[in-house]
DNA sequence: AGCCTTTGACCAGCG
DNA sequence: TCGCTGGTCAAAGGC
């Protein structure tokens, strides 16, 4: 299938801001088309079990901590998590944007207290560089996430502030304890626990797209039609590193898209310029959507600082120690990742 | 001095 | 062929 060929070498990450005053729906890149296709938004193709297995393994293997289902029933099974999420996700007015994107496909939501950075930083989320793998991280505005067809009555209100959208997500959410998150991090930080390998991992920083652990040099900027803010182009400054990324902003200057292209062929710099180190964004909701076994999506809605419980601030490498004010104003993030 | 951003120009792809 | 758009280059200037 041609579309599969198109995405076979693509890893896509979508970072989407919830509010985009001017909703201009650009052309979908092949990956997104494929996403809609795999997620049932295309021609009704059912989901491949692959991604579920993938995500399942992610959580079973790396999130051993107890998690809470929406009714606060503890469960340790990803399947249970998924079942719990699916029981509340499809249909109804409480449908989330990820749900819309998924077109009813599998999805679960993780509210605040869980950092997607943990996932993003995991070798599974950004798997170690396979020699033949070319990562391509793409993001697109939420309207693109909707499958083709007439507008849904339950379309996510783009004018809603993050806090409101959080409520929408929250009702559909189960919780993953930060303790579990920490354990997951320890899991990843401990090479002995990682069957994949112990290479460094990538971080998608929502608020500071240029600060994801690597050093970037801006090499271009182009105005986007219909957008007040231009698209910026960055290159990894590491010698011979082919990775590039482009950052798009909404008309209010908020980052709406971060698109990575290529894969780093080097470790993340130990000593960052400016001494900032990592400072990824606290994460709110994360939506995992099953796909072709190579793609996942999560949504980061950090607009609810009240739910933020930073019990991980004992770690310099922690992503969660942002001030609540910053968390509150950070963006919803959708991430779609392709694995090959 | 080195690295970065800015910015206009250039080039390629596409309709 | 032309115009549009996306992506990149490179000079200039700033930190």
């Amino acid at each position: 299938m041609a579309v599969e060929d198109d995405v076979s070498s693509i890893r896509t990450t979508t970072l989407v801001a919830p509010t985009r005053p001017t909703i201009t729906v650009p052309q979908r890149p092949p990956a997104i088309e494929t996403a809609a296709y795999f997620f049932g938004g295309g021609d009704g193709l059912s989901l491949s079990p692959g991604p579920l297995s993938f995500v399942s393994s992610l959580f079973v293997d790396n999130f051993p901590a107890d998690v809470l289902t929406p009714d606060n029933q503890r469960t340790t099974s990803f399947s249970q998590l998924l079942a719990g999420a699916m029981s509340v996700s499809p249909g109804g007015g409480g449908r989330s944007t990820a749900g819309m994107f998924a077109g009813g496909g599998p999805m679960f939501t993780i509210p605040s207290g869980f950092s997607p950075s943990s996932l993003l930083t995991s070798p599974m989320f950004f798997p170690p560089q396979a020699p033949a793998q070319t990562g391509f991280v793409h993001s697109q505005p939420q309207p693109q996430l909707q499958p083709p067809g007439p507008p849904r009555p339950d379309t996510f209100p783009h004018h809603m502030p993050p806090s409101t959208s959080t409520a929408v997500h929250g009702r559909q959410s189960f919780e993953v304890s930060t303790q579990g998150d920490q354990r997951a991090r320890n899991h990843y930080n401990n090479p002995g626990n990682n069957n994949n390998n112990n290479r460094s991992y990538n971080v998608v920083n929502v608020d500071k797209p240029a600060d994801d652990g690597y050093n970037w040099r801006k090499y271009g900027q182009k105005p986007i039609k219909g957008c007040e803010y231009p698209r910026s182009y960055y290159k990894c400054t590491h010698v011979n590193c082919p990775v590039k990324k482009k950052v798009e902003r909404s008309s209010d200057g908020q980052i709406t898209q971060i698109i990575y292209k290529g894969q780093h062929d080097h470790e993340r710099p130990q000593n960052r310029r400016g001494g900032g180190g990592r400072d990824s964004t606290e994460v709110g909701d994360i939506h995992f959507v099953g796909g072709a076994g190579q793609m996942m999506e999560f949504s980061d809605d950090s607009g609810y600082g009240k739910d933020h419980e930073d019990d991980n601030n004992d770690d310099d490498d922690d992503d969660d120690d942002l001030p609540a004010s910053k968390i509150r104003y950070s963006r919803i993030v959708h991430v779609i990742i392709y694995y090959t």
Side-chain angles (χ1 to χ4, degrees), chain A residues 4-74:
Chain A
E4 286 180 329
D5 292 338
D6 289 341
V7 301
S8 61
S9 62
I10 290 176
R11 184 184 65 200
T12 299
T13 299
T14 300
L15 307 179
V16 178
T19 57
R20 199 165 188 176
T22 54
I23 303 176
T24 56
V25 182
Q27 288 185 340
R28 292 183 183 183
I32 302 306
E33 293 284 4
T34 306
Y37 180 80
F38 282 118
F39 293 160
D43 30 0
L45 189 72
S46 61
L47 278 166
S48 160
L52 298 184
S53 301
F54 173 77
V55 179
S56 176
S57 64
L58 173 68
F59 274 76
V60 170
D61 294 343
N62 303 297
F63 291 88
D66 291 343
V67 294
L68 299 176
T69 55
D71 54 354
N72 289 337
Q73 300 264 333
R74 286 193 177 274

Side-chain angles (χ1 to χ4, degrees), chain A residues 178-254:
Chain A
T178 52
Q179 186 179 20
D181 184 24
Q182 184 60 55
R183 278 195 246 175
R185 288 178 213 202
N186 293 337
H187 181 88
Y188 286 125
N189 290 337
N190 184 351
N193 290 340
N194 193 335
N195 292 331
N196 295 296
N197 63 38
N198 58 354
R199 281 198 226 185
S200 66
Y201 34 73
N202 299 337
V203 175
V204 174
N205 187 318
V206 178
D207 285 338
K208 296 181 179 179
D211 188 6
D212 53 7
Y214 292 91
N215 295 329
W216 301 94
R217 179 176 56 83
K218 190 176 183 178
Y219 67 91
Q221 181 174 299
K222 292 284 287 187
I224 304 300
K225 191 175 184 179
C227 292
E228 181 179 348
Y229 288 81
R231 174 185 297 154
S232 299
Y233 298 90
Y234 297 87
K235 285 179 180 176
C236 180
T237 60
H238 191 273
V239 58
N240 292 333
C241 181
V243 179
K244 298 174 182 178
K245 73 175 180 180
K246 56 183 179 181
V247 176
E248 297 185 17
R249 296 173 184 270
S250 64
S251 59
D252 57 359
Q254 295 166 345

